[in-house]
């Protein structure tokens, strides 16, 4: 029995429904193929990658650990570890809309055009979803990607279902819809074309400047109150961003993207996420001010979450990139997570608890009111939705 059959929660659903199983999905890993077990290597050999190692996923029956027996080629001064290349495998999912019943997030359905994310953000809470595919949440997550080439057609079918009730679809809830492979794959754009054609509302969260490419679709949708976009900005320090989220757009490009979208009339906000205590939390007010100056109209934030394998991956990253701050950062996370590195409970997982979390929230409230970012946009329009026409169906008389 393959991994996804034993653990039927899909990757998309896992991000929004922790601990609750959803519909079964198909496995994309040939049966019997193990996850790669890549040993630690010098940062120069992992250029553009966030994770330090590639630990075995938590559902595998066997666990691999690198061990130097003295015969390794790595002992050779001329040995160079292979460059980590990105591979993309077609995802054969039969549906594209993932559903959730989580009470602490503002959407009940989402679309993720890709599984895995080449941005390589080391803190990404979606990394553990790769374990459902029998792969590692470490380097596999950012190098072994899955794309849904039939997403637009699948979406048409689901929206055409007579029982479908229109509510905003969220994109960017698990992996980034504008990660680098979107530039050539164009799956996100094809999904937006379907949504625009049938006047279906959508919300987008991204770290990718590529979202500005689709202004020609998003601006007309915004004029009909059908879209909102949020740019996620973690830090304004370009060097820190390069190490922590290596293939995402630079902070300056994200701010420029906010400007481009807002000038096109698209409601655009900033999401300060994640706020990493003792590493980026001091930038909260500065990020909000920079985003406001760039044209953001709303703001939100989420403290760092470290579920499942992310705990160890982030600790490894701290040990390599911020060793003098590592214990301080992790202890502050524990302060916000009831003594743990992750709090999965609804209500507190998105805001944290304790004195440090309360102070962070108060800082955010004061800053957003001072900067004029405390307002909330009106709900998106769901009344204009028209099911997409399918070739085999009777033509509409409207």
């Amino acid at each position: 029995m393959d991994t996804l059959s034993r653990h039927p929660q899909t990757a998309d659903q896992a991000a929004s429904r922790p601990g609750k199983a959803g519909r079964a999905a198909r496995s994309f890993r040939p049966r019997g193929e193990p996850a790669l077990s890549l040993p630690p290597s010098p940062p120069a050999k992992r250029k553009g990658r966030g994770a330090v190692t590639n630990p075995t996923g938590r559902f595998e029956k066997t666990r691999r650990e690198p061990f130097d027996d003295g015969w390794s080629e790595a002992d050779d001064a001329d040995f160079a570890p292979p460059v980590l290349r990105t591979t993309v495998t077609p995802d054969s999912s039969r549906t594209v809309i993932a559903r959730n019943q989580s009470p602490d997030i503002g959407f009940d359905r989402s679309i993720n055009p890709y599984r895995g994310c080449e941005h390589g953000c080391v803190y990404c809470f979606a990394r553990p979803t790769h374990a459902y595919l029998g792969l590692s949440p470490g380097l596999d997550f950012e190098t072994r990607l899955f794309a849904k080439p039939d997403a637009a057609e699948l979406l048409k079918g689901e929206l055409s279902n007579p029982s479908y009730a229109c509510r905003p679809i969220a994109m960017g809830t698990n992996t980034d819809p504008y990660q680098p492979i979107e530039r050539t794959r164009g799956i996100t754009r094809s999904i937006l074309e379907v949504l625009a054609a049938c006047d279906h509302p959508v919300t987008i969260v991204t770290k990718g400047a590529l979202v500005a490419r689709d202004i020609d679709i998003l601006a007309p949708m915004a004029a009909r109150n059908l879209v909102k976009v949020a740019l996620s900005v973690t830090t304004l320090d370009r060097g820190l961003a390069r190490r922590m989220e290596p293939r995402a757009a630079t902070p300056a490009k994200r701010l420029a993207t906010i400007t481009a979208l807002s000038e096109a009339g698209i409601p655009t906000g900033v999401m300060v996420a994640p706020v990493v205590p003792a590493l980026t939390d001091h930038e909260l007010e500065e990020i909000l001010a920079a985003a406001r100056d760039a044209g953001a109209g709303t703001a939100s934030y989420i403290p760092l979450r470290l579920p499942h394998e992310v705990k160890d991956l982030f600790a490894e990253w701290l040990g390599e990139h911020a060793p003098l701050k590592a214990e301080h950062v992790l202890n502050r996370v524990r302060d916000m997570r009831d003594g743990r590195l992750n709090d999965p409970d609804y209500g507190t997982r998105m805001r944290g608890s304790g004195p440090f979390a309360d102070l962070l929230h108060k800082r955010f409230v004061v800053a957003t009111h001072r900067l004029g970012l405390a307002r909330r946009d009106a709900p998106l329009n769901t009344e204009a939705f028209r099911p997409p026409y399918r070739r085999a169906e009777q033509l509409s008389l409207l």
Side-chain angles (χ1 to χ4, degrees):
M1 183 175 293
D2 61 30
T3 300
L4 282 180
S5 298
R6 289 185 284 112
H7 306 279
Q9 186 181 39
T10 68
D12 289 352
Q13 292 163 332
S16 53
R17 298 181 64 182
K20 294 190 176 182
R23 298 171 183 164
R26 294 292 180 265
S27 175
F28 313 109
R29 175 170 58 106
R31 184 167 295 183
E33 179 187 343
L36 295 178
S37 184
L38 302 176
S41 57
K45 304 303 181 184
R46 289 182 279 104
K47 185 177 181 181
R49 304 301 181 184
V52 176
T53 58
N54 204 47
T56 306
R58 65 190 183 280
F59 299 129
E60 300 307 299
K61 292 182 178 180
T62 59
R63 184 174 301 277
R64 296 185 177 188
E65 296 183 5
F67 173 74
D68 185 1
D69 59 3
W71 292 87
S72 172
E73 290 178 306
D75 294 332
D76 186 342
D78 297 326
F79 173 74
V83 177
L84 293 177
R85 303 291 185 188
T86 300
T87 64
V88 184
T89 302
D91 180 324
S92 56
S93 295
R94 295 179 181 176
T95 60
V96 72
I97 300 178
R99 311 277 180 162
N100 79 84
Q101 299 174 350
S102 302
D104 58 350
I105 55 178
F107 59 88
D108 68 351
R109 64 200 68 185
S110 60
I111 295 177
N112 288 285
Y114 307 101
R115 297 178 191 263
C117 187
E118 198 176 5
H119 280 164
C121 303
V122 68
Y123 51 71
C124 182
F125 70 87
R127 282 182 176 272
T129 62
H130 239 44
Y132 289 99
L133 306 179
L135 298 173
S136 172
L139 291 167
D140 279 351
F141 178 79
E142 51 195 282
T143 60
R144 301 181 69 174
L145 312 181
F146 298 86
K148 303 176 183 179
D150 300 326
E153 288 303 313
L154 291 172
L155 179 59
K156 288 180 183 179
E158 293 181 60
L159 297 183
S160 298
N161 190 316
S163 65
Y164 181 79
C166 179
R167 294 192 65 181
I169 288 176
M171 298 186 71
T173 60
N174 194 47
T175 56
D176 202 306
Y178 287 102
Q179 59 180 286
I181 59 172
E182 167 62 18
R183 190 175 300 279
T184 55
R185 303 276 168 163
I187 299 174
T188 297
R189 184 175 176 87
S190 68
I191 291 170
L192 292 178
E193 288 172 341
V194 171
L195 296 176
C198 59
D199 289 329
H200 194 295
V202 61
T203 62
I204 299 171
V205 176
T206 181
K207 287 182 170 70
L210 186 59
V211 64
R213 175 202 64 186
D214 294 337
I215 284 178
D216 61 319
I217 299 175
L218 298 175
M221 292 184 74
R224 303 194 299 275
N225 189 28
L226 294 172
V227 66
K228 298 177 185 177
V229 180
L231 269 292
S232 175
V233 181
T234 311
T235 177
L236 297 178
D237 183 334
R238 180 168 180 166
L240 177 57
R242 188 186 303 113
R243 298 188 299 273
M244 192 163 55
E245 38 198 35
R247 297 200 177 193
T250 64
K253 285 186 177 179
R254 289 180 231 179
L255 294 175
T257 302
I258 291 176
T259 300
L261 294 173
S262 61
E263 288 180 349
I266 301 166
T268 308
V270 61
M271 177 179 285
V272 187
V275 178
V276 184
L279 193 63
T280 69
D281 66 284
H282 65 281
E283 295 186 70
L284 177 64
E285 290 83 358
E286 188 179 359
I287 293 172
L288 292 171
R292 190 278 311 270
D293 293 344
T298 58
S300 61
Y301 81 101
I302 302 176
L304 178 67
R305 297 170 55 194
L306 296 174
H308 301 298
E309 293 93 339
V310 184
K311 294 190 289 292
D312 292 335
L313 289 167
F314 191 70
E316 285 180 339
W317 182 90
L318 285 170
E320 180 171 294
H321 295 284
L324 298 181
K325 292 185 176 181
E327 281 304 311
H328 189 190
V329 172
L330 295 176
N331 285 334
R332 277 293 176 87
V333 172
R334 293 185 182 97
D335 289 343
M336 293 194 298
R337 302 295 182 186
D338 194 26
R340 299 169 290 176
L341 288 177
N342 184 56
D343 173 11
D345 296 336
Y346 293 132
T348 56
R349 62 177 182 149
M350 306 301 284
R351 286 289 178 266
S353 60
F356 184 80
D358 292 342
L359 177 60
L360 189 65
H361 179 68
K362 290 177 182 178
R363 288 173 54 196
F364 176 81
V365 170
V366 170
T368 51
H369 277 85
R370 174 172 54 83
L371 296 168
L373 294 172
R375 66 181 179 83
R376 291 290 178 265
D377 290 327
L380 294 177
N381 180 16
T382 59
E383 301 299 322
F385 170 68
R386 298 169 289 110
Y389 164 68
R390 303 184 73 187
R391 187 172 298 175
E393 297 175 354
Q394 181 178 343
L395 291 172
S396 171
L397 297 177
L398 298 179

